[in-house]
Amino acid sequence: KAQEKMVKRLVDKIRLNRDKIISTKNLYLDDADVVVVSYGISARSAMQAVRNARNEGIKAGLIKLETIWPFPEELIREVASGAKAMIMAEINGGQMVRELERAACGSCPVTLVGNYGGAILHPATIQSAISKAVKG
């Protein structure tokens, strides 16, 4: 009973302070058709891919997750409602893409650019996914 109470108190502490805990850095979201969401080392590749896409005339944007929990559901929901597609760039099998799909609520297609084995995602791989997403 005491352990349940402690866990509930800790979870409530996070939930009640979501706005203070959630941290993202956003780039080019104001007009983005395709939004890449990334975190950790993959965010550097994602940022380069977004800049490269912008140089090619594709309206791409980036949400860099500086904290992954709690997930920035409100931001994702808002951005997804105006985007043609969202891409999760992550170095694993897609654990975070499920959170992105859930938060986007079906407003736009969500694609995973992932990589097993820990190898860094190359910006060209993410940029290719951006180009495919913008074409539909």
Side-chain angles (χ1 to χ4, degrees):
K1 189 79 177 170
Q3 189 175 10
E4 283 180 37
K5 195 173 186 179
M6 181 183 72
V7 170
K8 183 180 178 347
R9 183 182 65 78
L10 291 173
V11 170
D12 285 347
K13 188 175 185 178
I14 299 292
R15 287 188 179 141
L16 294 173
N17 290 288
R18 288 177 54 86
D19 294 341
K20 295 175 191 168
I21 298 169
I22 292 172
S23 179
T24 64
K25 284 196 175 173
N26 307 318
L27 186 65
Y28 307 123
L29 293 185
D30 53 330
D31 68 343
D33 289 330
V34 179
V35 177
V36 180
V37 180
S38 196
Y39 59 95
I41 197 166
S42 299
R44 289 186 120 186
S45 294
M47 184 180 299
Q48 187 61 52
V50 165
R51 287 186 173 139
N52 291 348
R54 284 262 164 186
N55 288 337
E56 290 183 1
I58 297 171
K59 294 179 181 176
L62 174 70
I63 297 174
K64 178 186 176 197
L65 305 175
E66 296 198 324
T67 56
I68 60 171
W69 187 76
F71 198 72
E73 297 175 34
E74 295 82 7
L75 173 63
I76 297 298
R77 200 169 297 120
E78 179 185 326
V79 171
S81 69
K84 291 181 181 176
M86 296 188 88
I87 297 167
M88 175 59 80
E90 57 178 322
I91 302 176
N92 61 41
Q95 287 80 347
M96 292 300 291
V97 76
R98 292 185 185 106
E99 280 299 295
L100 182 59
E101 289 171 338
R102 183 185 61 76
C105 298
S107 294
C108 66
V110 174
T111 305
L112 169 65
V113 175
N115 190 5
Y116 288 106
I120 295 172
L121 290 172
H122 195 279
T125 304
I126 300 168
Q127 189 176 349
S128 175
I130 292 169
S131 295
K132 287 179 188 172
V134 82
K135 292 175 186 170

